[in-house]
Amino acid sequence: MTTVLKFGGSSVATIEQIQAISEYLQTRAAAGEKLVVVVSAMGKTTDSLLSLAKQITERPMIRELDRLLAVGEEQTISLLSIALNSRGVAAISLTGQQAGIDTMGIHTKSKIKAIRKEVLEEKLRTYDVVIVAGFQGVNEFGDVTTLGRGGSDTTAVALAAVLSKRCEIYTDVAGVYTADPRIHPTARRLDTVSYDEMMEMSALGSKVMEMRSVELAKKFDVNIFVGKTLASEGGTWIMDMTQAMEQKAVTSVSVVKNVLSVSIKHIPHSVAGVADIFEKLSQRHVNIDMISQTAFDGEVFLSFTCPLDEEAFLEEALAELTETFPQIKIDRHTEHAKISVVGIGMRDATGVAAELFATFRESGIPFYQVTTSEISISYTINEQDVEAAVAAIATRFKL
Ligand code: ADP
Ligand code: ASP
Ligand code: MG
Protein backbone atom coordinates (compact mmCIF):
# COMPACT_ATOMS: atom_id res chain seq x y z
CA MET A 1 0.00 0.00 0.00
CA THR A 2 1.30 3.47 -0.89
CA THR A 3 0.68 6.38 1.48
CA VAL A 4 1.35 10.05 0.75
CA LEU A 5 2.38 12.13 3.76
CA LYS A 6 3.40 15.78 3.98
CA PHE A 7 5.36 17.55 6.70
CA GLY A 8 5.15 21.35 6.80
CA GLY A 9 7.93 23.85 7.43
CA SER A 10 7.57 24.17 11.20
CA SER A 11 7.68 20.35 11.52
CA VAL A 12 11.06 20.11 9.78
CA ALA A 13 12.64 23.28 11.19
CA THR A 14 15.57 21.54 12.93
CA ILE A 15 17.80 18.49 12.46
CA GLU A 16 16.30 17.01 15.65
CA GLN A 17 12.81 17.24 14.14
CA ILE A 18 14.00 15.73 10.86
CA GLN A 19 15.58 12.87 12.79
CA ALA A 20 12.42 12.29 14.82
CA ILE A 21 10.36 12.20 11.61
CA SER A 22 12.81 9.74 10.07
CA GLU A 23 12.36 7.46 13.10
CA TYR A 24 8.58 7.62 12.70
CA LEU A 25 8.80 6.90 8.96
CA GLN A 26 11.06 3.96 9.70
CA THR A 27 8.35 2.32 11.83
CA ARG A 28 5.73 2.90 9.17
CA ALA A 29 7.97 1.48 6.46
CA ALA A 30 8.82 -1.50 8.68
CA ALA A 31 5.10 -2.22 8.93
CA GLY A 32 5.07 -2.75 5.18
CA GLU A 33 3.88 0.61 3.85
CA LYS A 34 5.44 2.26 0.83
CA LEU A 35 5.72 5.97 1.64
CA VAL A 36 5.80 9.05 -0.56
CA VAL A 37 6.82 11.90 1.71
CA VAL A 38 6.45 15.53 0.67
CA VAL A 39 8.37 18.09 2.70
CA SER A 40 8.47 21.87 2.91
CA ALA A 41 11.46 24.13 3.44
CA MET A 42 12.87 24.16 6.98
CA GLY A 43 11.11 26.66 9.26
CA LYS A 44 11.11 30.13 7.74
CA THR A 45 13.65 29.29 5.02
CA THR A 46 11.36 30.39 2.17
CA ASP A 47 10.91 33.81 3.81
CA SER A 48 14.67 34.14 4.28
CA LEU A 49 15.38 33.26 0.66
CA LEU A 50 12.77 35.76 -0.48
CA SER A 51 14.24 38.50 1.63
CA LEU A 52 17.73 37.83 0.22
CA ALA A 53 16.39 38.51 -3.26
CA LYS A 54 14.51 41.59 -2.03
CA GLN A 55 17.75 43.01 -0.65
CA ILE A 56 18.86 43.25 -4.27
CA THR A 57 15.62 44.52 -5.79
CA GLU A 58 11.98 44.95 -4.77
CA ARG A 59 10.99 43.16 -7.97
CA PRO A 60 13.27 40.18 -8.60
CA MET A 61 12.94 38.38 -11.94
CA ILE A 62 10.36 35.71 -11.28
CA ARG A 63 12.19 32.95 -13.14
CA GLU A 64 15.22 33.43 -10.93
CA LEU A 65 13.09 33.85 -7.82
CA ASP A 66 11.52 30.45 -8.45
CA ARG A 67 14.95 28.89 -8.88
CA LEU A 68 15.96 30.42 -5.55
CA LEU A 69 12.81 29.56 -3.57
CA ALA A 70 12.89 25.94 -4.73
CA VAL A 71 16.22 25.55 -2.95
CA GLY A 72 14.47 25.53 0.45
CA GLU A 73 12.60 22.28 -0.15
CA GLU A 74 15.66 20.70 -1.78
CA GLN A 75 17.61 21.15 1.43
CA THR A 76 14.93 19.32 3.44
CA ILE A 77 14.54 16.35 1.06
CA SER A 78 18.27 15.64 1.14
CA LEU A 79 18.54 15.92 4.92
CA LEU A 80 15.55 13.64 5.48
CA SER A 81 16.95 11.11 3.04
CA ILE A 82 20.34 11.21 4.78
CA ALA A 83 18.58 10.64 8.12
CA LEU A 84 16.55 7.70 6.78
CA ASN A 85 19.46 6.07 5.01
CA SER A 86 21.62 6.36 8.10
CA ARG A 87 18.93 4.31 9.89
CA GLY A 88 19.10 1.69 7.19
CA VAL A 89 15.83 2.66 5.48
CA ALA A 90 15.85 2.47 1.69
CA ALA A 91 14.99 6.09 0.87
CA ILE A 92 15.65 8.47 -2.01
CA SER A 93 15.04 12.19 -2.41
CA LEU A 94 13.64 13.72 -5.60
CA THR A 95 13.14 17.30 -6.72
CA GLY A 96 9.75 18.14 -8.24
CA GLN A 97 11.29 17.78 -11.68
CA GLN A 98 12.80 14.39 -10.89
CA ALA A 99 9.45 13.25 -9.48
CA GLY A 100 7.77 14.01 -12.81
CA ILE A 101 5.76 17.04 -11.68
CA ASP A 102 4.98 19.16 -14.75
CA THR A 103 3.70 22.69 -14.24
CA MET A 104 2.16 25.46 -16.31
CA GLY A 105 1.37 29.13 -15.89
CA ILE A 106 3.39 32.02 -14.55
CA HIS A 107 6.42 31.71 -12.33
CA THR A 108 5.80 31.86 -8.56
CA LYS A 109 2.12 30.95 -9.09
CA SER A 110 2.36 27.89 -11.31
CA LYS A 111 -0.18 25.13 -11.44
CA ILE A 112 0.42 21.41 -11.72
CA LYS A 113 -0.35 20.31 -15.27
CA ALA A 114 0.40 16.60 -14.94
CA ILE A 115 2.30 14.09 -12.89
CA ARG A 116 4.24 11.45 -14.76
CA LYS A 117 3.54 8.84 -12.12
CA GLU A 118 5.61 6.07 -13.73
CA VAL A 119 8.73 7.74 -12.35
CA LEU A 120 7.44 7.46 -8.77
CA GLU A 121 6.05 3.98 -9.28
CA GLU A 122 9.40 2.85 -10.55
CA LYS A 123 11.24 4.35 -7.56
CA LEU A 124 8.73 2.78 -5.16
CA ARG A 125 9.73 -0.64 -6.46
CA THR A 126 13.28 -0.07 -5.26
CA TYR A 127 12.80 2.23 -2.27
CA ASP A 128 10.48 2.11 0.74
CA VAL A 129 10.43 5.89 1.17
CA VAL A 130 10.45 8.33 -1.75
CA ILE A 131 10.88 11.91 -0.57
CA VAL A 132 9.59 14.64 -2.89
CA ALA A 133 10.31 18.36 -2.67
CA GLY A 134 7.01 20.19 -2.18
CA PHE A 135 6.01 23.47 -3.82
CA GLN A 136 7.96 22.93 -7.06
CA GLY A 137 7.83 21.45 -10.53
CA VAL A 138 9.15 22.04 -14.00
CA ASN A 139 7.46 23.91 -16.84
CA GLU A 140 7.40 23.32 -20.59
CA PHE A 141 10.67 25.27 -21.00
CA GLY A 142 12.48 23.06 -18.50
CA ASP A 143 12.51 25.84 -15.89
CA VAL A 144 11.86 25.21 -12.21
CA THR A 145 8.64 26.84 -11.03
CA THR A 146 6.91 27.15 -7.66
CA LEU A 147 3.24 26.76 -6.85
CA GLY A 148 2.54 29.80 -4.64
CA ARG A 149 3.02 30.09 -0.88
CA GLY A 150 1.84 27.06 1.05
CA GLY A 151 2.11 25.03 -2.19
CA SER A 152 3.57 21.88 -0.63
CA ASP A 153 0.02 20.94 0.36
CA THR A 154 -0.84 21.00 -3.34
CA THR A 155 2.13 18.80 -4.21
CA ALA A 156 1.01 16.25 -1.61
CA VAL A 157 -2.62 16.18 -2.71
CA ALA A 158 -1.66 15.99 -6.39
CA LEU A 159 0.61 13.01 -5.70
CA ALA A 160 -2.16 11.36 -3.67
CA ALA A 161 -4.57 11.97 -6.55
CA VAL A 162 -2.47 9.79 -8.85
CA LEU A 163 -1.11 7.29 -6.30
CA SER A 164 -3.36 6.60 -3.33
CA LYS A 165 -6.46 8.84 -3.08
CA ARG A 166 -5.51 9.53 0.53
CA CYS A 167 -3.16 12.04 1.94
CA GLU A 168 -1.88 12.76 5.45
CA ILE A 169 -0.90 16.38 6.11
CA TYR A 170 1.20 16.88 9.24
CA THR A 171 1.60 20.33 10.71
CA ASP A 172 2.00 22.19 14.02
CA VAL A 173 -1.66 21.98 15.14
CA ALA A 174 -3.76 18.86 15.76
CA GLY A 175 -6.16 19.42 12.86
CA VAL A 176 -8.61 21.96 11.52
CA TYR A 177 -10.18 24.04 14.27
CA THR A 178 -13.28 26.23 14.50
CA ALA A 179 -10.87 29.20 14.56
CA ASP A 180 -7.10 29.62 14.34
CA PRO A 181 -5.98 28.25 17.74
CA ARG A 182 -3.24 30.90 17.82
CA ILE A 183 -5.87 33.63 17.77
CA HIS A 184 -8.52 31.84 19.82
CA PRO A 185 -6.90 29.24 22.11
CA THR A 186 -10.22 27.65 23.11
CA ALA A 187 -11.20 26.89 19.51
CA ARG A 188 -12.43 23.32 19.02
CA ARG A 189 -10.95 20.78 16.70
CA LEU A 190 -13.32 19.54 13.99
CA ASP A 191 -13.37 15.77 13.41
CA THR A 192 -14.53 16.24 9.84
CA VAL A 193 -14.93 19.14 7.48
CA SER A 194 -16.33 19.18 3.95
CA TYR A 195 -14.25 20.13 0.92
CA ASP A 196 -16.44 23.17 0.28
CA GLU A 197 -16.11 24.51 3.80
CA MET A 198 -12.37 23.92 3.87
CA MET A 199 -11.94 25.69 0.53
CA GLU A 200 -13.89 28.66 1.80
CA MET A 201 -11.95 28.68 5.07
CA SER A 202 -8.62 28.56 3.21
CA ALA A 203 -9.70 31.28 0.81
CA LEU A 204 -10.71 33.43 3.76
CA GLY A 205 -7.43 33.07 5.63
CA SER A 206 -7.28 29.70 7.45
CA LYS A 207 -3.91 28.75 6.05
CA VAL A 208 -3.81 25.33 7.73
CA MET A 209 -4.55 24.01 4.20
CA GLU A 210 -3.60 25.83 1.03
CA MET A 211 -6.77 26.45 -0.97
CA ARG A 212 -5.77 24.93 -4.30
CA SER A 213 -4.83 21.69 -2.57
CA VAL A 214 -8.39 21.33 -1.26
CA GLU A 215 -9.80 22.15 -4.67
CA LEU A 216 -7.67 19.35 -6.15
CA ALA A 217 -8.72 16.96 -3.39
CA LYS A 218 -12.37 17.59 -4.16
CA LYS A 219 -11.84 17.20 -7.88
CA PHE A 220 -9.92 13.92 -7.56
CA ASP A 221 -11.73 12.50 -4.52
CA VAL A 222 -8.71 12.54 -2.24
CA ASN A 223 -9.51 12.25 1.47
CA ILE A 224 -7.17 14.40 3.52
CA PHE A 225 -6.19 13.76 7.11
CA VAL A 226 -4.76 16.82 8.88
CA GLY A 227 -2.89 16.10 12.10
CA LYS A 228 -0.10 17.23 14.34
CA THR A 229 3.36 15.94 13.48
CA LEU A 230 4.35 12.92 15.59
CA ALA A 231 1.22 13.10 17.75
CA SER A 232 -0.87 9.98 17.98
CA GLU A 233 -4.18 11.69 18.76
CA GLY A 234 -6.49 14.23 17.21
CA GLY A 235 -6.78 15.07 13.55
CA THR A 236 -9.42 16.18 11.07
CA TRP A 237 -10.69 14.46 7.95
CA ILE A 238 -11.42 16.69 4.98
CA MET A 239 -13.86 14.80 2.78
CA ASP A 240 -17.06 14.79 0.82
CA MET A 241 -19.87 15.44 3.29
CA THR A 242 -22.85 15.73 1.00
CA GLN A 243 -24.29 12.74 2.88
CA ALA A 244 -24.19 14.45 6.29
CA MET A 245 -27.67 14.63 7.84
CA GLU A 246 -27.41 17.96 9.54
CA GLN A 247 -25.08 20.86 8.97
CA LYS A 248 -24.50 23.62 11.47
CA ALA A 249 -25.13 27.04 9.95
CA VAL A 250 -21.74 28.31 11.10
CA THR A 251 -18.81 25.92 11.60
CA SER A 252 -15.78 28.18 11.78
CA VAL A 253 -14.37 31.68 11.71
CA SER A 254 -11.39 32.69 9.55
CA VAL A 255 -9.16 35.74 9.67
CA VAL A 256 -6.88 37.51 7.19
CA LYS A 257 -4.61 40.12 8.72
CA ASN A 258 -2.69 42.90 6.95
CA VAL A 259 -5.58 44.03 4.83
CA LEU A 260 -5.49 47.41 3.13
CA SER A 261 -8.90 49.03 2.62
CA VAL A 262 -9.28 51.66 -0.07
CA SER A 263 -12.24 53.86 -0.83
CA ILE A 264 -12.48 56.21 -3.76
CA LYS A 265 -15.02 59.02 -3.94
CA HIS A 266 -16.16 61.34 -6.74
CA ILE A 267 -15.47 59.01 -9.66
CA PRO A 268 -17.53 60.25 -12.64
CA HIS A 269 -20.39 57.83 -13.21
CA SER A 270 -19.33 55.87 -16.28
CA VAL A 271 -18.75 52.21 -16.84
CA ALA A 272 -15.50 53.03 -18.61
CA GLY A 273 -14.19 54.94 -15.57
CA VAL A 274 -14.64 52.04 -13.17
CA ALA A 275 -13.26 49.57 -15.71
CA ASP A 276 -10.22 51.82 -16.08
CA ILE A 277 -9.54 51.64 -12.36
CA PHE A 278 -9.63 47.85 -12.26
CA GLU A 279 -7.53 47.61 -15.40
CA LYS A 280 -4.77 49.71 -13.81
CA LEU A 281 -4.85 47.52 -10.71
CA SER A 282 -4.81 44.27 -12.62
CA GLN A 283 -1.91 45.39 -14.84
CA ARG A 284 0.10 45.52 -11.64
CA HIS A 285 -1.26 42.18 -10.39
CA VAL A 286 -2.88 43.79 -7.34
CA ASN A 287 -5.12 41.19 -5.74
CA ILE A 288 -8.44 42.93 -5.27
CA ASP A 289 -11.06 41.67 -2.86
CA MET A 290 -14.32 42.81 -1.23
CA ILE A 291 -15.33 45.19 -4.00
CA SER A 292 -18.39 47.33 -3.43
CA GLN A 293 -19.74 50.17 -5.48
CA THR A 294 -22.61 52.59 -5.21
CA ALA A 295 -23.62 55.24 -7.73
CA PHE A 296 -25.32 58.42 -6.60
CA ASP A 297 -25.90 61.82 -8.18
CA GLY A 298 -23.74 61.11 -11.21
CA GLU A 299 -20.83 59.96 -9.09
CA VAL A 300 -19.51 56.57 -8.08
CA PHE A 301 -18.27 55.56 -4.66
CA LEU A 302 -16.00 52.55 -4.83
CA SER A 303 -14.31 50.58 -2.11
CA PHE A 304 -12.20 47.45 -2.11
CA THR A 305 -9.45 45.71 -0.15
CA CYS A 306 -6.07 44.27 -1.11
CA PRO A 307 -3.15 42.63 0.74
CA LEU A 308 -0.99 45.17 2.53
CA ASP A 309 2.17 43.79 0.96
CA GLU A 310 0.88 44.89 -2.45
CA GLU A 311 0.72 48.52 -1.31
CA ALA A 312 3.58 49.69 -3.55
CA PHE A 313 1.83 48.40 -6.69
CA LEU A 314 -1.49 49.78 -5.51
CA GLU A 315 -0.01 53.23 -4.99
CA GLU A 316 1.43 53.22 -8.53
CA ALA A 317 -2.01 52.45 -9.91
CA LEU A 318 -3.70 55.07 -7.72
CA ALA A 319 -1.20 57.73 -8.78
CA GLU A 320 -2.05 57.07 -12.43
CA LEU A 321 -5.70 57.18 -11.59
CA THR A 322 -5.43 60.59 -9.98
CA GLU A 323 -3.88 61.87 -13.19
CA THR A 324 -6.86 60.61 -15.21
CA PHE A 325 -9.48 61.72 -12.67
CA PRO A 326 -8.05 64.71 -10.72
CA GLN A 327 -11.34 65.20 -8.82
CA ILE A 328 -11.31 61.83 -7.03
CA LYS A 329 -10.61 61.51 -3.34
CA ILE A 330 -8.88 58.38 -2.08
CA ASP A 331 -8.89 57.10 1.51
CA ARG A 332 -6.71 54.25 2.68
CA HIS A 333 -6.80 52.27 5.89
CA THR A 334 -3.75 50.08 6.46
CA GLU A 335 -4.62 48.45 9.76
CA HIS A 336 -7.58 46.37 8.77
CA ALA A 337 -8.29 42.66 9.02
CA LYS A 338 -10.95 40.57 7.34
CA ILE A 339 -12.96 38.27 9.55
CA SER A 340 -15.31 35.70 8.03
CA VAL A 341 -17.73 33.12 9.30
CA VAL A 342 -18.05 29.97 7.22
CA GLY A 343 -20.64 27.22 7.24
CA ILE A 344 -22.10 24.99 4.58
CA GLY A 345 -25.40 25.07 6.50
CA MET A 346 -25.70 28.77 5.63
CA ARG A 347 -27.03 27.63 2.26
CA ASP A 348 -30.30 26.72 3.98
CA ALA A 349 -30.24 28.70 7.23
CA THR A 350 -31.62 32.19 7.52
CA GLY A 351 -30.80 34.81 10.10
CA VAL A 352 -27.04 34.26 10.28
CA ALA A 353 -26.34 37.81 9.10
CA ALA A 354 -28.76 39.25 11.65
CA GLU A 355 -27.08 37.30 14.43
CA LEU A 356 -23.67 38.47 13.29
CA PHE A 357 -24.68 42.12 13.20
CA ALA A 358 -26.12 41.67 16.68
CA THR A 359 -22.82 40.14 17.84
CA PHE A 360 -20.94 43.19 16.58
CA ARG A 361 -23.45 45.51 18.20
CA GLU A 362 -23.24 43.77 21.57
CA SER A 363 -19.45 43.66 21.59
CA GLY A 364 -19.15 47.25 20.34
CA ILE A 365 -16.64 46.26 17.64
CA PRO A 366 -16.76 48.59 14.62
CA PHE A 367 -16.81 47.05 11.14
CA TYR A 368 -16.50 48.59 7.67
CA GLN A 369 -16.99 46.51 4.52
CA VAL A 370 -19.32 43.52 4.49
CA THR A 371 -19.47 40.89 1.73
CA THR A 372 -21.18 37.54 1.45
CA SER A 373 -20.90 34.31 -0.49
CA GLU A 374 -23.22 31.33 -0.48
CA ILE A 375 -21.50 29.83 2.56
CA SER A 376 -19.71 32.76 4.22
CA ILE A 377 -20.06 36.33 5.46
CA SER A 378 -17.01 38.59 5.77
CA TYR A 379 -16.38 41.90 7.54
CA THR A 380 -13.40 44.23 7.59
CA ILE A 381 -12.55 45.35 11.11
CA ASN A 382 -9.64 47.09 12.82
CA GLU A 383 -6.75 44.69 13.25
CA GLN A 384 -6.59 45.39 16.99
CA ASP A 385 -10.13 43.97 17.38
CA VAL A 386 -9.40 40.57 15.81
CA GLU A 387 -9.08 38.52 19.03
CA ALA A 388 -12.18 40.11 20.58
CA ALA A 389 -14.25 39.64 17.42
CA VAL A 390 -13.23 35.98 17.03
CA ALA A 391 -14.08 35.37 20.70
CA ALA A 392 -17.47 37.09 20.40
CA ILE A 393 -18.38 35.12 17.27
CA ALA A 394 -17.13 31.84 18.77
CA THR A 395 -19.29 32.40 21.85
CA ARG A 396 -22.37 33.39 19.87
CA PHE A 397 -22.20 30.45 17.46
CA LYS A 398 -20.82 27.96 20.02
CA LEU A 399 -17.67 27.31 17.98
P1 ADP B 1 2.74 24.14 7.66
O1 ADP B 1 4.04 24.84 7.78
O2 ADP B 1 2.72 22.82 8.36
O3 ADP B 1 2.21 24.07 6.27
P2 ADP B 1 0.99 26.36 8.22
O4 ADP B 1 1.63 27.39 9.06
O5 ADP B 1 0.87 26.61 6.77
O6 ADP B 1 1.70 24.98 8.52
O7 ADP B 1 -0.49 26.04 8.77
C1 ADP B 1 -0.70 25.73 10.13
C2 ADP B 1 -1.18 26.95 10.86
O8 ADP B 1 -2.48 27.30 10.37
C3 ADP B 1 -1.40 26.76 12.33
O9 ADP B 1 -0.22 26.98 13.04
C4 ADP B 1 -2.50 27.76 12.66
O10 ADP B 1 -2.00 28.91 13.31
C5 ADP B 1 -3.04 28.18 11.30
N1 ADP B 1 -4.51 28.12 11.23
C6 ADP B 1 -5.30 29.12 10.76
N2 ADP B 1 -6.58 28.80 10.85
C7 ADP B 1 -6.64 27.55 11.37
C8 ADP B 1 -7.71 26.67 11.69
N3 ADP B 1 -8.99 27.00 11.48
N4 ADP B 1 -7.39 25.46 12.23
C9 ADP B 1 -6.12 25.12 12.44
N5 ADP B 1 -5.06 25.92 12.16
C10 ADP B 1 -5.31 27.12 11.63
N1 ASP C 1 8.00 26.54 1.58
C1 ASP C 1 6.85 27.09 0.89
C2 ASP C 1 6.27 28.26 1.68
O1 ASP C 1 6.79 28.61 2.72
C3 ASP C 1 5.82 26.07 0.56
C4 ASP C 1 5.15 25.42 1.75
O2 ASP C 1 5.68 25.47 2.86
O3 ASP C 1 4.09 24.82 1.56
O4 ASP C 1 5.31 28.84 1.26
MG1 MG D 1 1.15 25.44 5.05
Side-chain angles (χ1 to χ4, degrees):
M1 184 180 91
T2 303
T3 312
V4 178
L5 302 84
K6 178 243 165 185
F7 294 90
S10 52
S11 304
V12 292
T14 64
I15 291 297
E16 290 70 32
Q17 286 172 292
I18 290 176
Q19 278 177 321
I21 289 170
S22 72
E23 191 182 343
Y24 168 72
L25 296 174
Q26 182 176 28
T27 48
R28 297 240 342 216
E33 278 180 283
K34 289 277 182 181
L35 305 173
V36 172
V37 181
V38 175
V39 284
S40 295
M42 295 171 74
K44 302 258 175 249
T45 302
T46 310
D47 290 331
S48 311
L49 292 169
L50 191 59
S51 80
L52 286 178
K54 294 238 166 148
Q55 282 172 39
I56 302 172
T57 165
E58 252 313 298
R59 292 203 214 175
M61 267 178 75
I62 50 179
R63 177 190 183 275
E64 304 309 327
L65 191 61
D66 264 356
R67 185 50 276 174
L68 176 70
L69 296 186
V71 170
E73 273 62 20
E74 289 169 24
Q75 172 177 315
T76 325
I77 53 167
S78 325
L79 291 170
L80 182 58
S81 184
I82 290 169
L84 281 161
N85 278 286
S86 69
R87 295 181 164 275
V89 180
I92 187 169
S93 69
L94 302 175
T95 61
Q97 179 167 17
Q98 288 175 308
I101 300 175
D102 291 334
T103 60
M104 59 185 184
I106 64 166
H107 277 287
T108 75
K109 293 176 189 167
S110 289
K111 294 195 156 82
I112 295 178
K113 185 169 75 181
I115 292 180
R116 288 170 275 122
K117 69 170 178 172
E118 318 76 63
V119 187
L120 285 163
E121 285 171 343
E122 199 258 316
K123 293 288 181 214
L124 283 167
R125 281 194 278 277
T126 316
Y127 298 93
D128 291 333
V129 185
V130 177
I131 308 157
V132 180
F135 176 57
Q136 57 173 262
V138 62
N139 68 12
E140 67 267 43
F141 309 109
D143 288 326
V144 172
T145 67
T146 64
L147 306 176
R149 298 306 304 267
S152 297
D153 293 337
T154 306
T155 306
V157 173
L159 291 176
V162 297
L163 295 172
S164 62
K165 297 287 176 197
R166 219 193 86 152
C167 178
E168 301 174 17
I169 302 277
Y170 291 106
T171 182
D172 56 359
V173 286
V176 180
Y177 284 70
T178 52
D180 184 342
R182 288 179 207 290
I183 297 180
H184 189 61
T186 56
R188 283 186 306 106
R189 182 177 53 78
L190 299 163
D191 288 327
T192 51
V193 58
S194 65
Y195 293 123
D196 288 346
E197 274 168 318
M198 193 65 237
M199 269 192 272
E200 196 83 356
M201 289 169 71
S202 303
L204 295 171
S206 300
K207 67 163 187 165
V208 57
M209 286 299 297
E210 197 265 339
M211 191 184 80
R212 286 218 328 265
S213 69
V214 190
E215 223 166 35
L216 267 189
K218 180 176 178 183
K219 187 165 167 195
F220 292 98
D221 255 331
V222 175
N223 289 345
I224 302 175
F225 174 81
V226 184
K228 192 176 167 100
T229 300
L230 303 181
S232 51
E233 284 172 13
T236 300
W237 282 98
I238 306 172
M239 56 212 270
D240 180 23
M241 286 180 50
T242 41
Q243 304 305 322
M245 298 283 279
E246 267 189 73
Q247 310 273 10
K248 272 180 81 173
V250 173
T251 42
S252 65
V253 46
S254 299
V255 171
V256 183
K257 290 189 180 168
N258 298 317
V259 170
L260 173 55
S261 295
V262 180
S263 51
I264 310 177
K265 279 188 250 186
H266 308 307
I267 307 164
H269 189 191
S270 82
V271 176
V274 176
D276 202 32
I277 295 176
F278 287 108
E279 210 165 80
K280 287 191 194 332
L281 292 163
S282 104
Q283 278 160 1
R284 289 172 181 79
H285 301 289
V286 180
N287 226 323
I288 298 298
D289 188 25
M290 296 188 87
I291 302 169
S292 69
Q293 184 204 303
T294 44
F296 186 70
D297 253 357
E299 286 190 341
V300 172
F301 178 88
L302 181 69
S303 53
F304 58 84
T305 61
C306 77
L308 189 56
D309 61 9
E310 292 176 7
E311 191 175 11
F313 300 102
L314 172 82
E315 288 304 334
E316 274 180 24
L318 293 180
E320 253 186 43
L321 201 65
T322 327
E323 273 173 33
T324 322
F325 304 111
Q327 72 277 37
I328 60 172
K329 186 171 174 320
I330 305 172
D331 278 326
R332 308 157 177 80
H333 203 304
T334 53
E335 279 159 24
H336 274 178
K338 174 179 174 181
I339 184 165
S340 311
V341 298
V342 177
I344 207 164
M346 249 186 250
R347 282 183 182 144
D348 314 308
T350 53
V352 177
E355 268 202 67
L356 268 171
F357 283 110
T359 310
F360 279 102
R361 180 184 60 209
E362 281 154 29
S363 52
I365 296 168
F367 58 86
Y368 305 96
Q369 296 254 104
V370 184
T371 52
T372 61
S373 85
E374 200 192 3
I375 62 167
S376 69
I377 306 180
S378 306
Y379 294 75
T380 48
I381 60 174
N382 293 322
E383 200 154 290
Q384 69 197 43
D385 291 330
V386 162
E387 275 83 6
V390 171
I393 291 169
T395 307
R396 183 84 178 204
F397 292 94
K398 301 191 175 57
L399 299 182

